Amino acid sequence: MNNSMKQRFNDLWAFGKPKWQTNASHETYDKEVGDEESQETLLTHHPDEQRRTSFKQSILWGCLVTLKTILLFSYPLLLYQAWRYRDQDPACRLGNERIFDDIPVIYESIRFRRAGFHDTRHDELTKYEGEPNDHNNAAWERLLEVGVVGISEKENSRLTNGSASAPRNPDQYMVELELFHQLHCLKWLRDQIWEFQDAIDNSHPLTVISQRKDHNDHCIDYLRQAIMCHGDITPITFEWISEINSYIAHHSTEHQCRNFDAIYNWAKERDTTGLQVDGKHQNVEFAEQENSD
């Protein structure tokens, strides 16, 4: 690039109107040219050609100024967006889940298994189904071996109200993970249903359990809130079956799920409090109001 081209580029890029060649320069040059042919050539390009050239240069200058203005105002916007999303979690942790820096949230596609309504084509039970026995009881109990986990002071400070200190370590705090409380409520209702069924089948009275109704209500409405909170809108498909002249719903549809084993193993590593999710629950009236609810 020669010097004149560099100068022209610098003039175009700089803010302010570039200093194009003026009419005076042409007039001076015209006077210096003596022969008639040269004068005629200059007159051919002046002034119409000069006006066209100036117009094109003005358009180019305007485009460059517009581009620089856009870039100038884009930088603060980009910085704002970077600041706004600086804490956004790619694993999609929501609300107070963000107090944890190391929780393994891994998403995977899982097709639900048929449960309850079995037939000759679908007769295999899940390990959690059926009348209570040693096998399915052990499967349910394993789910609740973890769930109350220890958290650091830093993690506790991220909670709105904070939590209580762990009994085994006053420098550590403890929280219960919602996932395992929901499983506790589900297991409680499962045990109640099968106990009712056993009492009916064998004509014997139910075992006396303090606040059975309160616990039933707690778990039923707690699970209602959890289900409504998460709002799973995965579509369940239908199929028309002419044999029964009706539709059947395919509940074994594919869902986007968090990997349970990863969360379970992480919670097990943090199981340092000595407390269990599936412990005794009892409603007690306090003389003084709770600090937080």
Side-chain angles (χ1 to χ4, degrees):
M1 182 182 293
N2 56 40
N3 292 335
S4 62
M5 291 180 67
K6 289 182 178 179
Q7 183 61 41
R8 176 62 59 85
F9 180 81
N10 291 335
D11 287 341
L12 289 175
W13 185 246
F15 274 104
K17 189 173 181 179
K19 298 178 181 179
W20 311 115
Q21 189 175 9
T22 63
N23 292 339
S25 63
H26 278 283
E27 292 174 359
T28 303
Y29 183 72
D30 289 345
K31 294 178 181 179
E32 293 177 353
V33 179
D35 59 278
E36 183 177 348
E37 182 180 356
S38 299
Q39 186 79 329
E40 181 179 353
T41 303
L42 287 174
L43 289 174
T44 302
H45 293 83
H46 175 77
D48 293 338
E49 183 66 25
Q50 181 184 351
R51 282 198 297 267
R52 284 194 294 270
T53 302
S54 297
F55 177 74
K56 293 178 181 178
Q57 291 171 336
S58 298
I59 292 296
L60 179 59
W61 173 81
C63 292
L64 290 174
V65 170
T66 302
L67 178 61
K68 289 187 69 175
T69 303
I70 293 174
L71 292 175
L72 181 64
F73 284 97
S74 295
Y75 292 142
L77 180 61
L78 291 174
L79 290 174
Y80 169 74
Q81 292 295 333
W83 174 83
R84 182 182 177 186
Y85 295 104
R86 67 193 186 283
D87 295 327
Q88 184 166 323
D89 195 332
C92 192
R93 290 182 289 184
L94 307 174
N96 280 338
E97 291 179 338
R98 294 194 183 97
I99 73 164
F100 304 110
D101 293 324
D102 61 338
I103 189 169
V105 178
I106 304 170
Y107 286 92
E108 57 184 357
S109 295
I110 295 180
R111 183 174 291 279
F112 282 11
R113 292 184 58 184
R114 179 185 289 264
F117 298 100
H118 296 282
D119 53 35
T120 55
R121 296 170 299 173
H122 310 90
D123 58 353
E124 184 180 355
L125 304 182
T126 72
K127 62 181 178 180
Y128 303 101
E129 279 189 273
E131 186 175 352
N133 55 47
D134 292 341
H135 177 70
N136 56 28
N137 281 342
W140 277 100
E141 289 168 4
R142 179 187 176 276
L143 293 178
L144 299 173
E145 287 179 353
V146 300
V148 180
V149 302
I151 63 173
S152 66
E153 183 175 358
K154 180 181 179 182
E155 290 170 328
N156 188 60
S157 67
R158 295 170 179 168
L159 292 169
T160 304
N161 299 314
S163 193
S165 299
R168 291 182 178 179
N169 185 356
D171 296 327
Q172 191 179 52
Y173 300 85
M174 60 181 185
V175 293
E176 180 181 15
L177 302 177
E178 283 278 15
L179 162 63
F180 296 97
H181 184 215
Q182 293 162 15
L183 287 173
H184 153 75
C185 268
L186 195 58
K187 180 178 179 294
W188 166 268
L189 295 175
R190 174 231 183 211
D191 293 345
Q192 298 305 300
I193 291 171
W194 282 111
E195 187 177 350
F196 294 154
Q197 187 66 48
D198 181 60
I200 294 172
D201 292 343
N202 298 291
S203 301
H204 64 71
L206 290 170
T207 304
V208 176
I209 299 178
S210 176
Q211 298 182 331
R212 183 197 300 270
K213 292 181 180 178
D214 289 340
H215 207 156
N216 289 346
D217 265 348
H218 160 72
C219 282
I220 290 172
D221 205 61
Y222 173 77
L223 290 176
R224 173 195 64 80
Q225 294 177 71
I227 292 169
M228 292 174 67
C229 172
H230 291 291
D232 188 351
I233 56 174
T234 300
I236 296 174
T237 59
F238 290 92
E239 181 182 352
W240 173 262
I241 304 296
S242 57
E243 181 181 349
I244 60 174
N245 195 36
S246 183
Y247 294 98
I248 62 170
H250 292 294
H251 297 282
S252 56
T253 184
E254 187 174 278
H255 288 71
Q256 188 74 3
C257 304
R258 289 179 172 182
N259 184 285
F260 177 78
D261 290 336
I263 296 175
Y264 183 93
N265 293 332
W266 170 82
K268 192 171 185 177
E269 291 177 0
R270 284 186 171 234
D271 184 16
T272 59
T273 66
L275 299 180
Q276 293 183 341
V277 173
D278 207 25
K280 294 182 178 179
H281 294 66
Q282 186 175 1
N283 187 35
V284 179
E285 293 293 335
F286 300 109
E288 298 181 3
Q289 188 175 0
E290 300 172 66
N291 292 329
S292 60
D293 189 1

